[in-house]
Amino acid sequence: MPARYCEVALPVPLRSTFTYAVPESLEGKLNGQPLIGRRVVVPFRRRAMIGVVLAESAKPPDITRAVSAGGGAAAAPAIREIAEVMDPVAALPPKLIELGEWISRYYVAPVGETFRAMLPPDVEVRHDREYSLTEAGSAYLDALAQKLTLADEEREEAELLRRFDPREAEGESRGRRKRVDEAAAEALVRRGYLAARNVLRHRQARTQKILAWNPAAPAVKLDARAEEVREALTSASGPLPLHVLIAKAGVSRSVVERLENAGALSSWDEPLTPGEDPWDTDFTPPSNVLNAEQNAALAEIWRWLVAGKFAAGLLHGVTGSGKTEVYLGAIEATLSRGKSAIVLVPEIALTLWVGRLVRARFGEHVAVLHSGLHDTERAREWWRVRHGEARIVVGTRSAIFAPLENVGLIIVDEEQESSYKQEETPRYNGRDTAVYRARLEGAVALLGSATPSLETYHNALAGKYQLLQLTSRVENRPLAAVRIVDLREEFRRQHRATPVSESLRAAIALRLEEKTQAMVLINRRGYSWSLMCRGCGALVQCENCSIALTYHKSRQRLECHYCGYSIRPPKQCPKCNSEYMYYVGDGAERVEEYLREQFPAARIARLDRDTVRTKREYQQVLGAFAKGEIDILVGTQMVAKGHDFQRVTLVGVVAADLALGRPDFRAAEKTFQLLTQVAGRAGRGELSGEVLVETYYPEHYAIQYAAQQDYASFYEKEAQFRRLLHYPPFMALASVLVRDRKVENAIRWSRALAAYFAPFEERGVKILGPAAAPLARLRRDYRFQFVLKSPHRAILGKALAGALDFCAANQFPETAVIVDVDPATLS
Ligand code: ADP
Ligand code: ZN
Ligand code: ZN
């Protein structure tokens, strides 16, 4: 009869945990240590799976209620046993288990998939136990030495202890080199004679090989396998680490080597450790003396930290007001109180930027976590944090799950960014999770932004978050002047539409003369938005999605930005065979080409996902721009954020109103934020800056208030609409999507769900739909959508959790229904 039973969360899309017994063979090694938070390997259906223990008890579970992990229809399933315990310590500390349970409840996400998102990657990381002799241990050794005769046991103990005795010749190094009998050593640890700590074994190899297709390659005849490699490196994704390439292309290492020898591939080594970022070497951090506003904000944060309780604050500071300095000061205060800190940034590129500043200031105790890291590397950083080797974690969304203990501060920079919302299960928002984690830890949550989300500003006005403001730029630099270019008027004057308006072209020409720099933002990749038939008016659409394909000229492809489907541009309309096809809408590639035509002598670069694929390339482009080696930088919103360029005096925004046309309640907010952020890129140095915003809707309030950089007025106007139309922050919102390859199924399940939801109308949940989703077809699935709104979050939560139970009871496939609580977008 086993002594213990565990509830294990497994990475399967089911909303329950599974019960396993701890076999005696394991108990022997565990010595009664608790299992909560530890990763275990268990049998599940016919496979072995890694899960995490959420609870344990001495009583066997009520068999009739227990969920069978065995599958099948057995009446009283036998409880299966844990096969293996993976790590010497609990992977998840107790606070993170609580956090995971909250996420699973709040976002109605399967518990196992939630915890999978919180655990380190399943790669082997070697943990070693390092022992040292305690004072009690050396006293005991001395006592044994006094004795005339020793029992066998005592002799063995003395021998083992002596190996860790620094007084012995070579004592320490011998103890380390020879294998230690762990069971015996652990027994001595329990008696207090040895101290133990877990360390990670560091591997020597710290670089990985990156391969790229060599466009200047001598003509090599490509066989099918070589073609796979070319495909993987060119149209699919760009340069890749060797192991990823092999997996992606499905070829063996020798195929890659052969191509490399033939000169078709070029390769280089990239460091694996963010701590060894090549940018770090010649970097001296700015040493700024805080101004009065920064000091006042920091003093307030100090007070919250000293109080040692949960507090949430919004640091609302205009672009260029020096929020980063306040963050750094707050981290310093946190460390000085013996606590640790997490800094979330909205994208991988910013982990480099911010990570560098933080490392320059606080040295080695910094870990960087983001999804762009190779699994092994992420696992290593993760365990470094878990073992207490890092006290500050800088990372993207999922770094909110960093296994730090004793957290005193969580910073969320650019808290309004939609990249904090995960668009797959579990669909959590990193910002809101940060606030909840701070609450659990009794820590300070500090949200920073120049353009706070409506939700956060609403919370600040309501007194839920405390509001700190930085109202002016550092050293009283003026905000950039914003000029709106009315494209309708331009067209009336010019009678032709160019990729860049005449006003913007002239402004760029001026910068080239002055020898300062310009940035041009165009939030669309590719050359043309779509290919249209003049015969029938149809756009060439994706085969799998209800969306027009984007034309990429350099690759000569039409591509779907949703599913990756791509074809050669057809000469004739696929619908009516007309030969009159033409391209509509200019993207970043076209804008770059146009600027090259207009300014043949200028040094122009483009920064978007088509031109930069690796961290290294991204750094190279931005580094060159920062050094003044580029005159004009064209890019998508990648260029809009965070970076601090001193010689940029002009920012042009092409098609600024693109987002306004989308059927999304956040369209105005997104537009306002983007324009304000990008305006913040101009005039950050000594030189003052100008921003040109091209639009067909110059009178729209999002554009007007962004031009005036007037957040408060924008908030007021937008809040009015949200209140009127029952949207967040005045209502809790959720979307439920029903999807299937077969349209009949999607319709049938939607109808059934509609019937299930109907009674909730009376309980204060407004139910819209089912209606065809804005993307009615995506990756071959037909999609129908419900939108649920309620002033009562608890009832909304009940309706959603109940809906999933209903779907399970009616055997809808697990993938057919997607629930999104607090969705970032409805389109
Ligand atoms: P924000 O994030 O608020 O837009 P940053 O934190 O990036 O602004 O700061 C903008 C620039 O101002 C940076 O170059 C930073 O080094 C500088 N800076 C910050 N604080 C001060 C200060 N007190 N005096 C002078 N320069 C400062
Ligand atoms: Zn046609
Ligand atoms: Zn598609």
Side-chain angles (χ1 to χ4, degrees), residues 279-291:
W279 269 22
D280 261 8
T281 45
D282 56 348
F283 175 67
T284 25
S287 54
N288 294 313
V289 180
L290 298 194
N291 61 31

Side-chain angles (χ1 to χ4, degrees), residues 288-291 294 319-325 474 644 684:
N288 294 313
V289 180
L290 298 194
N291 61 31
Q294 288 170 317
T319 54
S321 57
K323 293 185 284 295
T324 317
E325 287 292 338
V474 296
D644 206 22
R684 288 171 79 89

Side-chain angles (χ1 to χ4, degrees), residues 532-539 572-581:
M532 193 185 200
C533 165
R534 282 188 207 268
C536 70
L539 299 173
Q572 292 179 324
C573 173
K575 293 237 167 83
C576 74
N577 291 327
S578 153
E579 285 177 8
Y580 299 98
M581 305 293 288

Side-chain angles (χ1 to χ4, degrees), residues 492-677:
R492 277 197 291 272
R493 268 205 314 267
Q494 311 268 330
H495 294 290
R496 67 193 176 106
T498 43
V500 159
S501 67
E502 179 49 32
S503 309
L504 181 53
R505 200 199 62 78
I508 294 172
L510 191 66
R511 278 13 184 240
L512 291 172
E513 246 166 65
E514 279 178 7
K515 303 213 177 312
T516 59
Q517 292 173 302
M519 284 168 97
V520 177
L521 177 93
I522 158 92
N523 219 358
R524 277 272 189 155
R525 288 195 290 132
Y527 192 86
S528 306
W529 305 351
S530 47
L531 179 55
M532 193 185 200
C533 165
R534 282 188 207 268
C536 70
L539 299 173
V540 180
Q541 288 219 337
C542 175
E543 207 178 68
N544 311 317
C545 313
S546 51
I547 201 88
L549 295 173
T550 304
Y551 176 50
H552 290 260
K553 188 178 179 189
S554 64
R555 302 201 276 274
Q556 276 304 312
R557 305 292 280 184
L558 291 178
E559 292 181 7
C560 174
H561 287 181
Y562 287 86
C563 75
Y565 172 82
S566 92
I567 52 172
R568 288 205 156 272
K571 294 269 183 311
Q572 292 179 324
C573 173
K575 293 237 167 83
C576 74
N577 291 327
S578 153
E579 285 177 8
Y580 299 98
M581 305 293 288
Y582 77 114
Y583 291 98
V584 278
D586 298 322
E589 195 182 353
R590 171 71 184 119
V591 168
E592 182 197 3
E593 184 187 82
Y594 179 76
L595 293 174
R596 285 188 194 281
E597 287 159 16
Q598 296 292 315
F599 308 112
R603 297 164 301 173
I604 301 176
R606 173 157 59 95
L607 193 68
D608 61 26
R609 270 196 289 139
D610 298 318
T611 57
V612 296
R613 265 136 174 184
T614 61
K615 181 170 111 180
R616 164 176 296 236
E617 284 179 318
Y618 185 88
Q619 287 175 353
Q620 276 167 351
V621 175
L622 285 185
F625 192 56
K627 282 200 219 115
E629 294 163 9
I630 294 168
D631 303 313
I632 309 172
L633 183 63
V634 180
T636 53
Q637 60 186 354
M638 265 177 144
V639 304
K641 281 172 233 161
H643 318 293
D644 206 22
F645 300 112
Q646 303 283 314
R647 290 190 61 77
V648 173
T649 58
L650 172 70
V651 174
V653 187
V654 176
D657 41 34
L658 259 178
L660 289 176
R662 294 180 60 151
D664 185 357
F665 71 102
R666 285 191 212 275
E669 182 182 6
K670 291 257 177 62
T671 302
F672 177 84
Q673 286 166 348
L674 181 64
L675 293 182
T676 312
Q677 294 287 341

